[in-house]
Amino acid sequence: MASTGLAGRRVLLGVTGGIAAYKAAELVRRLGDAGAQVRVAMTENAARFVTPLTFQALSGNPVRLSLWDEHAEAAMGHIELARWAEDILIAPASADFLARLAHGLADDLLTTLCLASAAPVHVAPAMNQQMWANAATQANLALLRSRGVGVFGPAAGSQACGEVGSGRLLEPNELVEALANTHRPQTLAGRRVLISAGPTYEDIDPVRFLGNRSSGRMGFAIAAAAVEAGADVTLVAGPVHLPTPAGAQRIDVRSAREMHAAVMRAAESADVYVAAAAVGDFRPQEIAAHKIKKRGDGGMTLELTQNPDILADLAALPRRPLLVGFAAETEHVEAHARAKLERKGLDLVAANQVGGGLGFEADDNCLTLIDHDGTTHLPTASKRELARQLVDIVAQRLERRETGAARR
Ligand code: PMT
Protein backbone atom coordinates (compact mmCIF):
# COMPACT_ATOMS: atom_id res chain seq x y z
CA MET A 1 0.00 0.00 0.00
CA ALA A 2 1.28 3.47 -0.95
CA SER A 3 0.29 5.25 2.26
CA THR A 4 3.86 6.16 3.16
CA GLY A 5 2.60 9.08 5.28
CA LEU A 6 1.85 6.56 8.03
CA ALA A 7 5.19 4.78 8.09
CA GLY A 8 6.36 4.52 11.71
CA ARG A 9 3.44 6.60 12.96
CA ARG A 10 1.93 5.69 16.34
CA VAL A 11 -1.81 5.28 15.82
CA LEU A 12 -4.24 4.71 18.67
CA LEU A 13 -7.32 3.02 17.22
CA GLY A 14 -10.47 3.48 19.28
CA VAL A 15 -13.27 0.99 18.63
CA THR A 16 -16.77 1.76 19.86
CA GLY A 17 -19.90 -0.38 20.07
CA GLY A 18 -21.58 -1.03 16.74
CA ILE A 19 -21.93 -3.82 14.21
CA ALA A 20 -19.25 -2.17 12.04
CA ALA A 21 -16.70 -2.99 14.78
CA TYR A 22 -15.84 -6.16 12.84
CA LYS A 23 -14.35 -3.95 10.09
CA ALA A 24 -11.94 -2.45 12.63
CA ALA A 25 -10.13 -5.81 12.75
CA GLU A 26 -9.27 -5.50 9.05
CA LEU A 27 -8.39 -1.83 9.66
CA VAL A 28 -5.68 -2.86 12.16
CA ARG A 29 -4.14 -5.04 9.43
CA ARG A 30 -4.30 -2.30 6.80
CA LEU A 31 -2.77 0.29 9.17
CA GLY A 32 0.03 -2.18 9.88
CA ASP A 33 0.55 -2.69 6.13
CA ALA A 34 0.89 1.09 5.78
CA GLY A 35 3.72 0.99 8.33
CA ALA A 36 1.84 2.36 11.35
CA GLN A 37 2.34 1.11 14.91
CA VAL A 38 -1.14 0.36 16.23
CA ARG A 39 -2.55 0.11 19.72
CA VAL A 40 -6.24 -0.50 20.31
CA ALA A 41 -8.56 0.83 22.99
CA MET A 42 -12.17 -0.36 23.00
CA THR A 43 -15.33 0.67 24.76
CA GLU A 44 -17.06 -1.98 26.88
CA ASN A 45 -19.84 -2.12 24.26
CA ALA A 46 -17.37 -2.66 21.41
CA ALA A 47 -16.21 -5.82 23.20
CA ARG A 48 -19.76 -7.19 22.83
CA PHE A 49 -19.23 -7.24 19.05
CA VAL A 50 -15.55 -8.26 18.68
CA THR A 51 -13.32 -9.71 21.38
CA PRO A 52 -10.28 -7.78 22.61
CA LEU A 53 -8.25 -10.90 21.84
CA THR A 54 -8.88 -10.40 18.11
CA PHE A 55 -7.38 -6.92 18.23
CA GLN A 56 -4.56 -8.06 20.48
CA ALA A 57 -3.61 -10.79 18.00
CA LEU A 58 -3.79 -8.43 15.02
CA SER A 59 -1.99 -5.46 16.58
CA GLY A 60 0.52 -7.48 18.57
CA ASN A 61 -0.18 -5.26 21.58
CA PRO A 62 -2.40 -5.57 24.65
CA VAL A 63 -5.85 -4.05 24.18
CA ARG A 64 -7.20 -1.52 26.69
CA LEU A 65 -10.87 -1.48 27.74
CA SER A 66 -11.16 0.16 31.09
CA LEU A 67 -9.78 3.01 33.14
CA TRP A 68 -9.86 0.80 36.18
CA ASP A 69 -7.67 -2.09 35.02
CA GLU A 70 -4.80 -2.16 37.55
CA HIS A 71 -2.62 -4.54 35.49
CA ALA A 72 -2.97 -2.48 32.33
CA GLU A 73 -2.32 0.77 34.22
CA ALA A 74 0.83 -0.79 35.67
CA ALA A 75 2.08 -1.62 32.15
CA MET A 76 1.19 1.52 30.16
CA GLY A 77 -1.03 3.92 32.09
CA HIS A 78 -3.79 5.75 30.25
CA ILE A 79 -1.93 9.07 30.38
CA GLU A 80 1.15 7.38 28.97
CA LEU A 81 -0.99 5.86 26.19
CA ALA A 82 -2.52 9.28 25.46
CA ARG A 83 1.03 10.69 25.17
CA TRP A 84 2.20 7.75 23.05
CA ALA A 85 -0.41 8.38 20.34
CA GLU A 86 0.55 10.55 17.36
CA ASP A 87 -2.89 10.03 15.79
CA ILE A 88 -6.16 8.91 17.33
CA LEU A 89 -8.64 7.26 14.98
CA ILE A 90 -12.04 6.20 16.31
CA ALA A 91 -13.54 3.64 13.94
CA PRO A 92 -16.36 2.90 14.13
CA ALA A 93 -17.50 5.97 16.06
CA SER A 94 -21.05 5.43 17.36
CA ALA A 95 -23.59 8.25 17.78
CA ASP A 96 -23.26 7.87 21.56
CA PHE A 97 -19.47 8.16 21.43
CA LEU A 98 -19.64 11.27 19.21
CA ALA A 99 -22.07 12.86 21.67
CA ARG A 100 -19.79 12.13 24.63
CA LEU A 101 -16.71 13.35 22.78
CA ALA A 102 -18.48 16.54 21.66
CA HIS A 103 -19.43 17.33 25.24
CA GLY A 104 -16.03 16.66 26.71
CA LEU A 105 -17.09 13.70 28.84
CA ALA A 106 -14.39 11.45 30.23
CA ASP A 107 -16.54 8.68 31.63
CA ASP A 108 -14.64 5.78 30.10
CA LEU A 109 -11.14 4.99 28.89
CA LEU A 110 -11.60 6.05 25.26
CA THR A 111 -13.14 9.47 25.93
CA THR A 112 -10.51 10.06 28.61
CA LEU A 113 -7.72 9.20 26.16
CA CYS A 114 -9.14 11.63 23.58
CA LEU A 115 -9.34 14.39 26.16
CA ALA A 116 -5.90 13.69 27.60
CA SER A 117 -4.03 13.49 24.29
CA ALA A 118 -2.48 16.25 22.20
CA ALA A 119 -2.70 14.03 19.09
CA PRO A 120 -5.14 14.92 16.31
CA VAL A 121 -8.42 13.03 16.71
CA HIS A 122 -10.27 11.60 13.70
CA VAL A 123 -13.64 9.90 13.83
CA ALA A 124 -15.22 7.52 11.33
CA PRO A 125 -18.92 7.53 12.15
CA ALA A 126 -21.02 4.39 11.64
CA MET A 127 -24.66 4.14 12.63
CA ASN A 128 -28.22 3.69 11.46
CA GLN A 129 -29.11 6.29 8.80
CA GLN A 130 -31.85 7.85 10.93
CA MET A 131 -29.43 8.28 13.85
CA TRP A 132 -26.92 9.85 11.44
CA ALA A 133 -29.54 12.28 10.09
CA ASN A 134 -30.71 13.22 13.60
CA ALA A 135 -30.17 16.90 14.36
CA ALA A 136 -28.42 16.04 17.64
CA THR A 137 -25.82 13.88 15.85
CA GLN A 138 -25.27 16.54 13.18
CA ALA A 139 -24.89 19.26 15.82
CA ASN A 140 -22.34 17.12 17.68
CA LEU A 141 -20.43 16.56 14.44
CA ALA A 142 -20.43 20.29 13.67
CA LEU A 143 -19.07 21.01 17.14
CA LEU A 144 -16.34 18.39 16.76
CA ARG A 145 -15.39 19.70 13.29
CA SER A 146 -15.20 23.25 14.64
CA ARG A 147 -12.65 21.98 17.18
CA GLY A 148 -10.53 20.43 14.46
CA VAL A 149 -11.66 16.81 14.81
CA GLY A 150 -11.36 15.07 11.41
CA VAL A 151 -14.45 13.27 10.16
CA PHE A 152 -14.00 10.40 7.71
CA GLY A 153 -17.23 9.41 5.97
CA PRO A 154 -19.70 7.92 6.52
CA ALA A 155 -20.56 6.23 3.23
CA ALA A 156 -24.09 5.66 2.01
CA GLY A 157 -25.64 2.35 1.04
CA SER A 158 -27.42 -0.65 2.51
CA GLN A 159 -26.99 -1.04 6.25
CA ALA A 160 -26.77 -4.01 8.61
CA CYS A 161 -30.15 -2.99 10.06
CA GLY A 162 -31.76 -3.46 6.63
CA GLU A 163 -32.20 0.24 5.95
CA VAL A 164 -30.55 2.22 3.16
CA GLY A 165 -28.87 5.59 3.59
CA SER A 166 -25.83 7.39 5.02
CA GLY A 167 -24.13 5.89 8.04
CA ARG A 168 -21.94 3.06 6.73
CA LEU A 169 -18.37 2.90 8.00
CA LEU A 170 -15.85 3.65 5.24
CA GLU A 171 -13.91 0.61 4.07
CA PRO A 172 -10.61 -0.06 5.92
CA ASN A 173 -8.47 0.93 2.90
CA GLU A 174 -10.43 4.20 2.56
CA LEU A 175 -9.85 4.95 6.24
CA VAL A 176 -6.12 4.31 5.93
CA GLU A 177 -6.02 6.58 2.87
CA ALA A 178 -7.99 9.30 4.69
CA LEU A 179 -5.64 9.16 7.68
CA ALA A 180 -2.54 9.20 5.47
CA ASN A 181 -3.94 12.22 3.63
CA THR A 182 -4.03 14.24 6.83
CA HIS A 183 -0.24 14.11 6.66
CA ARG A 184 0.05 15.32 3.09
CA PRO A 185 2.35 18.30 2.59
CA GLN A 186 0.44 21.58 2.95
CA THR A 187 1.40 22.82 -0.52
CA LEU A 188 -1.61 25.15 -0.70
CA ALA A 189 -1.47 26.53 2.85
CA GLY A 190 -2.69 30.13 2.89
CA ARG A 191 -4.06 29.88 -0.68
CA ARG A 192 -7.65 30.56 -1.63
CA VAL A 193 -8.85 28.01 -4.15
CA LEU A 194 -12.13 28.41 -6.03
CA ILE A 195 -13.56 25.36 -7.77
CA SER A 196 -16.68 24.85 -9.87
CA ALA A 197 -18.22 21.41 -10.18
CA GLY A 198 -21.18 19.60 -11.63
CA PRO A 199 -23.63 20.48 -14.36
CA THR A 200 -25.82 23.54 -14.85
CA TYR A 201 -29.55 23.27 -15.46
CA GLU A 202 -31.21 25.68 -17.85
CA ASP A 203 -34.94 25.76 -17.24
CA ILE A 204 -37.31 25.41 -20.19
CA ASP A 205 -40.53 25.54 -18.17
CA PRO A 206 -41.44 24.73 -14.54
CA VAL A 207 -40.85 20.99 -15.08
CA ARG A 208 -38.15 20.69 -17.78
CA PHE A 209 -34.58 21.78 -18.17
CA LEU A 210 -31.51 21.41 -20.37
CA GLY A 211 -28.71 19.74 -18.41
CA ASN A 212 -25.78 17.40 -18.85
CA ARG A 213 -24.30 14.24 -17.38
CA SER A 214 -21.75 15.79 -15.01
CA SER A 215 -22.01 14.20 -11.55
CA GLY A 216 -19.70 16.71 -9.86
CA ARG A 217 -17.30 13.96 -8.74
CA MET A 218 -14.23 15.41 -10.46
CA GLY A 219 -14.74 18.90 -9.02
CA PHE A 220 -15.64 17.62 -5.55
CA ALA A 221 -12.50 15.44 -5.53
CA ILE A 222 -10.42 18.52 -6.41
CA ALA A 223 -12.06 20.44 -3.57
CA ALA A 224 -11.25 17.63 -1.11
CA ALA A 225 -7.64 17.43 -2.35
CA ALA A 226 -7.22 21.19 -2.06
CA VAL A 227 -8.51 21.10 1.55
CA GLU A 228 -6.05 18.28 2.29
CA ALA A 229 -3.28 20.46 0.87
CA GLY A 230 -4.20 23.23 3.32
CA ALA A 231 -6.15 25.58 1.02
CA ASP A 232 -9.11 27.72 1.94
CA VAL A 233 -11.62 26.21 -0.50
CA THR A 234 -14.81 27.59 -2.02
CA LEU A 235 -16.78 25.11 -4.08
CA VAL A 236 -19.46 26.42 -6.44
CA ALA A 237 -21.64 23.41 -7.17
CA GLY A 238 -24.30 22.86 -9.79
CA PRO A 239 -27.20 20.51 -8.98
CA VAL A 240 -25.46 17.33 -7.73
CA HIS A 241 -26.09 14.71 -5.06
CA LEU A 242 -22.74 14.71 -3.29
CA PRO A 243 -21.78 15.52 0.30
CA THR A 244 -19.69 18.65 0.76
CA PRO A 245 -16.01 17.78 1.25
CA ALA A 246 -15.15 18.48 4.90
CA GLY A 247 -13.59 21.90 5.29
CA ALA A 248 -14.83 23.34 1.98
CA GLN A 249 -17.29 26.20 1.79
CA ARG A 250 -20.05 25.28 -0.68
CA ILE A 251 -22.24 27.59 -2.76
CA ASP A 252 -25.08 25.84 -4.59
CA VAL A 253 -26.25 27.17 -7.93
CA ARG A 254 -28.53 25.90 -10.69
CA SER A 255 -28.04 27.76 -13.95
CA ALA A 256 -24.95 28.92 -15.84
CA ARG A 257 -25.80 32.52 -15.06
CA GLU A 258 -26.03 31.74 -11.34
CA MET A 259 -22.69 29.94 -11.55
CA HIS A 260 -21.21 32.89 -13.43
CA ALA A 261 -22.36 35.34 -10.72
CA ALA A 262 -21.15 33.16 -7.82
CA VAL A 263 -17.74 32.48 -9.42
CA MET A 264 -17.14 36.11 -10.42
CA ARG A 265 -17.90 37.20 -6.83
CA ALA A 266 -15.70 34.58 -5.17
CA ALA A 267 -12.89 35.03 -7.73
CA GLU A 268 -12.14 38.52 -6.38
CA SER A 269 -10.21 36.98 -3.51
CA ALA A 270 -9.14 33.68 -5.13
CA ASP A 271 -5.56 32.71 -6.00
CA VAL A 272 -6.71 30.03 -8.39
CA TYR A 273 -9.92 29.01 -10.14
CA VAL A 274 -10.32 25.39 -11.25
CA ALA A 275 -13.27 25.09 -13.65
CA ALA A 276 -14.33 21.45 -13.48
CA ALA A 277 -18.01 22.27 -14.00
CA ALA A 278 -19.76 21.35 -17.21
CA VAL A 279 -21.42 24.69 -17.84
CA GLY A 280 -24.31 24.82 -20.32
CA ASP A 281 -23.23 26.90 -23.30
CA PHE A 282 -26.84 27.75 -24.18
CA ARG A 283 -30.13 28.43 -22.42
CA PRO A 284 -33.67 28.79 -23.70
CA GLN A 285 -34.37 32.33 -24.89
CA GLU A 286 -37.38 32.39 -22.57
CA ILE A 287 -38.51 30.25 -19.62
CA ALA A 288 -42.19 29.40 -20.09
CA ALA A 289 -44.26 30.35 -17.04
CA HIS A 290 -46.37 27.18 -17.38
CA LYS A 291 -45.68 23.64 -18.55
CA ILE A 292 -45.42 23.64 -22.34
CA LYS A 293 -48.23 21.54 -23.81
CA LYS A 294 -48.10 19.29 -26.86
CA ARG A 295 -49.74 20.94 -29.82
CA GLY A 296 -51.11 18.46 -32.38
CA ASP A 297 -48.57 15.99 -33.78
CA GLY A 298 -45.96 18.54 -34.84
CA GLY A 299 -42.57 19.06 -33.23
CA MET A 300 -41.43 22.20 -31.49
CA THR A 301 -38.51 24.57 -31.88
CA LEU A 302 -36.65 25.82 -28.83
CA GLU A 303 -34.97 29.17 -29.33
CA LEU A 304 -31.57 29.17 -27.51
CA THR A 305 -29.29 31.98 -26.51
CA GLN A 306 -25.63 31.82 -25.41
CA ASN A 307 -24.63 31.78 -21.75
CA PRO A 308 -21.76 33.95 -20.51
CA ASP A 309 -18.38 32.22 -20.60
CA ILE A 310 -17.14 32.23 -17.00
CA LEU A 311 -13.51 31.43 -17.76
CA ALA A 312 -13.24 33.94 -20.59
CA ASP A 313 -14.76 36.68 -18.40
CA LEU A 314 -12.28 35.92 -15.60
CA ALA A 315 -9.38 35.89 -18.06
CA ALA A 316 -10.32 39.42 -19.09
CA LEU A 317 -10.01 40.81 -15.53
CA PRO A 318 -6.96 42.97 -14.78
CA ARG A 319 -6.23 41.02 -11.55
CA ARG A 320 -7.12 37.44 -12.31
CA PRO A 321 -6.56 34.22 -10.43
CA LEU A 322 -4.52 31.42 -12.00
CA LEU A 323 -7.01 29.88 -14.41
CA VAL A 324 -7.28 26.12 -14.78
CA GLY A 325 -9.92 25.05 -17.28
CA PHE A 326 -11.18 21.60 -18.15
CA ALA A 327 -11.91 20.43 -21.66
CA ALA A 328 -14.41 17.64 -22.15
CA GLU A 329 -13.88 16.25 -25.62
CA THR A 330 -15.14 13.25 -27.56
CA GLU A 331 -12.44 13.40 -30.28
CA HIS A 332 -9.15 15.19 -31.09
CA VAL A 333 -8.82 15.76 -27.35
CA GLU A 334 -5.44 17.52 -27.27
CA ALA A 335 -6.05 19.71 -30.32
CA HIS A 336 -9.43 20.93 -29.05
CA ALA A 337 -8.06 21.46 -25.55
CA ARG A 338 -5.11 23.49 -26.83
CA ALA A 339 -7.52 25.65 -28.83
CA LYS A 340 -9.49 26.30 -25.60
CA LEU A 341 -6.30 27.21 -23.74
CA GLU A 342 -5.64 29.94 -26.32
CA ARG A 343 -9.22 31.09 -26.97
CA LYS A 344 -10.15 31.41 -23.28
CA GLY A 345 -6.77 32.79 -22.17
CA LEU A 346 -6.11 29.98 -19.62
CA ASP A 347 -2.94 29.15 -17.70
CA LEU A 348 -3.56 25.41 -17.80
CA VAL A 349 -6.17 23.13 -19.28
CA ALA A 350 -7.02 19.60 -18.10
CA ALA A 351 -8.36 17.66 -21.04
CA ASN A 352 -10.42 14.53 -20.70
CA GLN A 353 -12.00 12.24 -23.20
CA VAL A 354 -15.70 11.87 -22.44
CA GLY A 355 -18.31 9.40 -23.59
CA GLY A 356 -18.26 5.60 -23.64
CA GLY A 357 -18.12 5.42 -19.82
CA LEU A 358 -15.27 7.91 -19.45
CA GLY A 359 -15.15 11.37 -17.88
CA PHE A 360 -18.75 12.07 -16.94
CA GLU A 361 -20.31 10.17 -14.01
CA ALA A 362 -17.45 7.63 -13.74
CA ASP A 363 -15.28 7.12 -10.63
CA ASP A 364 -12.10 7.06 -12.70
CA ASN A 365 -10.73 9.49 -15.22
CA CYS A 366 -7.52 10.27 -17.06
CA LEU A 367 -6.29 13.76 -17.77
CA THR A 368 -3.90 15.44 -20.17
CA LEU A 369 -2.61 18.71 -18.77
CA ILE A 370 -1.72 21.26 -21.42
CA ASP A 371 -0.10 24.67 -21.03
CA HIS A 372 2.23 26.86 -23.02
CA ASP A 373 5.24 24.78 -21.94
CA GLY A 374 3.94 21.39 -23.03
CA THR A 375 1.82 18.40 -22.15
CA THR A 376 1.67 16.09 -19.10
CA HIS A 377 -0.36 12.88 -19.09
CA LEU A 378 -1.98 11.74 -15.84
CA PRO A 379 -2.91 8.11 -16.55
CA THR A 380 -6.22 6.50 -15.57
CA ALA A 381 -6.79 6.62 -11.82
CA SER A 382 -9.59 7.41 -9.40
CA LYS A 383 -10.79 11.01 -9.56
CA ARG A 384 -9.56 11.39 -5.96
CA GLU A 385 -6.04 10.38 -6.93
CA LEU A 386 -6.03 12.53 -10.08
CA ALA A 387 -7.31 15.45 -8.04
CA ARG A 388 -4.32 15.16 -5.69
CA GLN A 389 -1.89 15.11 -8.60
CA LEU A 390 -3.61 18.11 -10.18
CA VAL A 391 -3.53 20.01 -6.88
CA ASP A 392 0.23 19.42 -6.55
CA ILE A 393 0.75 20.76 -10.07
CA VAL A 394 -1.46 23.79 -9.38
CA ALA A 395 0.59 24.53 -6.24
CA GLN A 396 3.78 24.48 -8.32
CA ARG A 397 2.24 26.78 -10.96
CA LEU A 398 1.14 29.26 -8.29
CA GLU A 399 4.62 29.36 -6.86
CA ARG A 400 6.19 29.69 -10.29
CA ARG A 401 3.80 32.54 -11.18
CA GLU A 402 4.74 34.41 -8.03
CA THR A 403 8.46 33.85 -8.46
CA GLY A 404 8.12 35.11 -12.05
CA ALA A 405 6.15 38.18 -10.93
CA ALA A 406 8.70 38.94 -8.20
CA ARG A 407 11.54 38.86 -10.75
CA ARG A 408 9.79 41.26 -13.10
O1 PMT B 1 -18.65 15.77 -12.96
P1 PMT B 1 -18.10 14.42 -13.36
O2 PMT B 1 -19.17 13.41 -13.63
O3 PMT B 1 -17.05 13.93 -12.39
O4 PMT B 1 -17.34 14.60 -14.77
C1 PMT B 1 -16.20 15.40 -14.84
C2 PMT B 1 -16.19 16.28 -16.10
C3 PMT B 1 -16.09 15.39 -17.33
C4 PMT B 1 -17.47 17.12 -16.18
C5 PMT B 1 -14.95 17.21 -15.95
O5 PMT B 1 -13.79 16.43 -15.89
C6 PMT B 1 -14.84 18.19 -17.14
O6 PMT B 1 -14.27 17.90 -18.17
N1 PMT B 1 -15.42 19.41 -16.94
C7 PMT B 1 -15.52 20.44 -18.00
C8 PMT B 1 -16.66 20.05 -18.89
C9 PMT B 1 -16.93 21.10 -19.93
O7 PMT B 1 -17.93 21.74 -19.88
O8 PMT B 1 -16.01 21.29 -20.82
P2 PMT B 1 -16.13 22.37 -22.01
O9 PMT B 1 -15.11 21.88 -22.95
O10 PMT B 1 -17.53 22.48 -22.50
O11 PMT B 1 -15.74 23.73 -21.34
C10 PMT B 1 -14.39 24.15 -21.24
C11 PMT B 1 -14.14 24.91 -19.96
O12 PMT B 1 -14.85 26.15 -19.99
C12 PMT B 1 -14.58 24.19 -18.70
O13 PMT B 1 -13.58 24.40 -17.72
C13 PMT B 1 -15.88 24.88 -18.31
O14 PMT B 1 -16.09 24.89 -16.90
C14 PMT B 1 -15.64 26.29 -18.85
N2 PMT B 1 -16.86 26.99 -19.26
C15 PMT B 1 -17.69 26.45 -20.20
C16 PMT B 1 -18.80 27.15 -20.60
C17 PMT B 1 -19.08 28.38 -20.02
N3 PMT B 1 -20.16 29.07 -20.36
N4 PMT B 1 -18.25 28.90 -19.10
C18 PMT B 1 -17.14 28.24 -18.74
O15 PMT B 1 -16.36 28.73 -17.88
Side-chain angles (χ1 to χ4, degrees), residues 196 198 213-219 256 273 275-281 307-312 324-329 340 344 350 352 354 359-362 365 367 383:
S196 66
R213 292 175 179 278
S214 171
S215 63
R217 283 182 226 176
M218 190 69 242
Y273 170 52
V279 186
D281 288 319
N307 275 324
D309 190 310
I310 305 169
L311 273 173
V324 181
F326 268 71
E329 308 295 344
K340 272 178 193 160
K344 298 195 182 215
N352 46 190
V354 295
F360 286 104
E361 294 172 308
N365 204 3
L367 296 174
K383 287 180 177 171

Side-chain angles (χ1 to χ4, degrees), residues 300-319:
M300 75 166 283
T301 305
L302 200 57
E303 200 73 39
L304 299 180
T305 189
Q306 242 186 63
N307 275 324
D309 190 310
I310 305 169
L311 273 173
D313 284 355
L314 281 176
L317 293 179
R319 188 237 159 250

Side-chain angles (χ1 to χ4, degrees), residues 177-397:
E177 193 188 340
L179 187 62
N181 284 333
T182 64
H183 301 297
R184 274 174 56 77
Q186 301 291 285
T187 50
L188 288 176
R191 305 287 194 182
R192 279 188 286 253
V193 176
L194 173 63
I195 296 152
S196 66
T200 58
Y201 284 178
E202 308 299 332
D203 289 333
I204 298 171
D205 67 15
V207 296
R208 303 182 181 95
F209 59 83
L210 295 175
N212 62 65
R213 292 175 179 278
S214 171
S215 63
R217 283 182 226 176
M218 190 69 242
F220 275 56
I222 297 167
V227 170
E228 279 167 18
D232 180 346
V233 175
T234 302
L235 174 61
V236 178
V240 295
H241 303 283
L242 293 175
T244 309
Q249 194 212 329
R250 175 170 175 173
I251 302 170
D252 284 313
V253 296
R254 180 173 172 85
S255 66
R257 280 187 298 176
E258 282 175 23
M259 186 171 277
H260 180 271
V263 168
M264 295 305 283
R265 219 174 301 122
E268 283 170 19
S269 59
D271 297 300
V272 54
Y273 170 52
V274 184
V279 186
D281 288 319
F282 299 97
R283 67 177 184 277
Q285 180 93 43
E286 276 173 21
I287 303 173
H290 298 285
K291 185 179 171 192
I292 299 171
K293 294 288 176 199
K294 258 197 280 185
R295 282 192 211 101
D297 293 333
M300 75 166 283
T301 305
L302 200 57
E303 200 73 39
L304 299 180
T305 189
Q306 242 186 63
N307 275 324
D309 190 310
I310 305 169
L311 273 173
D313 284 355
L314 281 176
L317 293 179
R319 188 237 159 250
R320 47 173 267 180
L322 187 91
L323 293 179
V324 181
F326 268 71
E329 308 295 344
T330 53
E331 56 174 359
H332 309 303
V333 177
E334 282 195 41
H336 286 317
R338 196 166 282 286
K340 272 178 193 160
L341 178 81
E342 302 297 343
R343 195 174 66 244
K344 298 195 182 215
L346 308 180
D347 297 293
L348 181 69
V349 66
N352 46 190
Q353 172 110 31
V354 295
L358 283 171
F360 286 104
E361 294 172 308
D363 283 329
D364 293 349
N365 204 3
C366 69
L367 296 174
T368 303
L369 305 184
I370 300 167
D371 68 3
H372 297 286
D373 295 340
T375 299
T376 311
H377 292 285
L378 304 183
T380 305
S382 68
K383 287 180 177 171
R384 293 166 64 104
E385 179 50 38
L386 286 173
R388 283 187 201 113
Q389 294 176 27
L390 179 62
V391 155
D392 286 345
I393 289 168
V394 165
Q396 288 164 15
R397 295 299 149 102

Side-chain angles (χ1 to χ4, degrees), residues 76-163:
M76 189 189 247
H78 66 277
I79 293 295
E80 220 177 315
L81 187 55
R83 285 191 194 129
W84 172 88
E86 290 178 301
D87 273 305
I88 298 181
L89 171 59
I90 312 295
S94 65
D96 173 72
F97 182 82
L98 293 174
R100 289 188 293 123
L101 186 64
H103 291 88
L105 300 192
D107 54 355
D108 67 359
L109 175 71
L110 202 48
T111 45
T112 304
L113 287 171
C114 289
L115 224 52
S117 178
V121 177
H122 317 275
V123 294
M127 65 197 73
N128 161 273
Q129 53 92 19
Q130 202 63 51
M131 292 172 85
W132 171 251
N134 192 292
T137 305
Q138 290 304 315
N140 290 334
L141 251 301
L143 196 54
L144 290 171
R145 277 201 179 100
S146 73
R147 293 182 188 146
V149 172
V151 181
F152 301 156
S158 64
Q159 302 197 301
C161 55
E163 295 181 15

